Amino acid sequence: MLLFAATSNSGKMREFALAAADLPDCEIAPLPGFRELPAVEESGTTFEENARIKAVHYSGFTGELVFAEDSGLVVDALDGAPGVYSARFAGGGASDAANNHLLLERLRGAEDRTAHFECVIALARQGNVLATFEGSMEGSILHEPRGTSGFGYDPLFFHAPCGRTTAELTAAEKFPISHRGQAFRALLRWLNRGDGARL
Ligand code: ITT
């Protein structure tokens, strides 16, 4: 089965590509010509709304199955920010470094540094959402970055069960426990069950 991933985020794409490398019956590829396609405004207020918006939009450009995901960091002391604004926390087109810097500024002096990552994947074909899948990962925000792998907020996101930040995990270590990995495995289960078998 061929699944096209609609994402502009190379960090997400790397994680999906790695996960798919082990799958015998499933090929995951970037949506052809993605960069040339018109972008869509992520106007939703929840991860699910935005995942649906992206999946509906991008699946209109092919007859194949397309999935899109929306994800982000939810920080308790910031009332859930940056949330759906994670990619643009420090402004549109902000770098990961700028977003991380702003996060540390906002959390200066905060005692409660608990946070979690969330991810919703929406699977669609020709503009219709077939199903959505979600995952989350608990952690806390360090006072300074640690590690160089991953992307986004990984260098600040400490996962206690591993005793490391997600930037100190390889992609192969992160995906089995991550919000994205959970959502992706739910998608695979759905495809392998009766629901997906009809596709
Ligand atoms: P697409 O919409 O094109 O997929 P994007 O980067 O704009 O790419 P989102 O709107 O879903 O994607 O924003 C996700 C942001 O949340 C991402 O840019 C990171 O800042 C953060 N994020 C999500 N998952 C993460 C992870 O596993 N590790 C670190 N940061 C993550």
Side-chain angles (χ1 to χ4, degrees), residues 7-9 12 42 54 69-72 86-87 117 151-154 174 179-180:
T7 179
S8 62
N9 184 314
K12 290 182 186 179
E42 298 184 27
K54 289 186 263 191
E69 71 102 283
D70 203 62
S71 53
S86 291
F117 280 129
F151 66 98
Y153 299 94
D154 280 330
K174 180 183 168 189
H179 50 310
R180 184 165 300 102

Side-chain angles (χ1 to χ4, degrees), residues 1 123 130-131 133 186 189-199:
M1 178 174 292
L123 177 71
L130 304 173
F133 311 92
R189 282 194 299 275
W190 187 90
L191 288 170
N192 288 327
R193 274 199 336 234
D195 310 320
R198 289 181 272 107
L199 297 172

Side-chain angles (χ1 to χ4, degrees), residues 19-44:
D22 293 340
L23 301 173
D25 304 321
C26 185
E27 185 191 345
I28 302 226
L31 180 62
F34 181 84
R35 281 163 188 268
E36 284 74 49
L37 296 178
V40 63
E41 192 191 347
E42 298 184 27
S43 56

Side-chain angles (χ1 to χ4, degrees), residues 45-64:
T45 57
T46 64
F47 295 112
E48 181 173 340
E49 275 173 20
N50 280 340
R52 284 176 173 271
I53 288 169
K54 289 186 263 191
V56 165
H57 174 73
Y58 290 112
S59 67
F61 296 101
T62 173
E64 304 291 339

Side-chain angles (χ1 to χ4, degrees), residues 73-91:
L73 179 71
V74 177
V75 180
D76 297 322
L78 301 180
D79 294 328
V84 292
Y85 303 104
S86 291
R88 41 194 158 134
F89 190 34

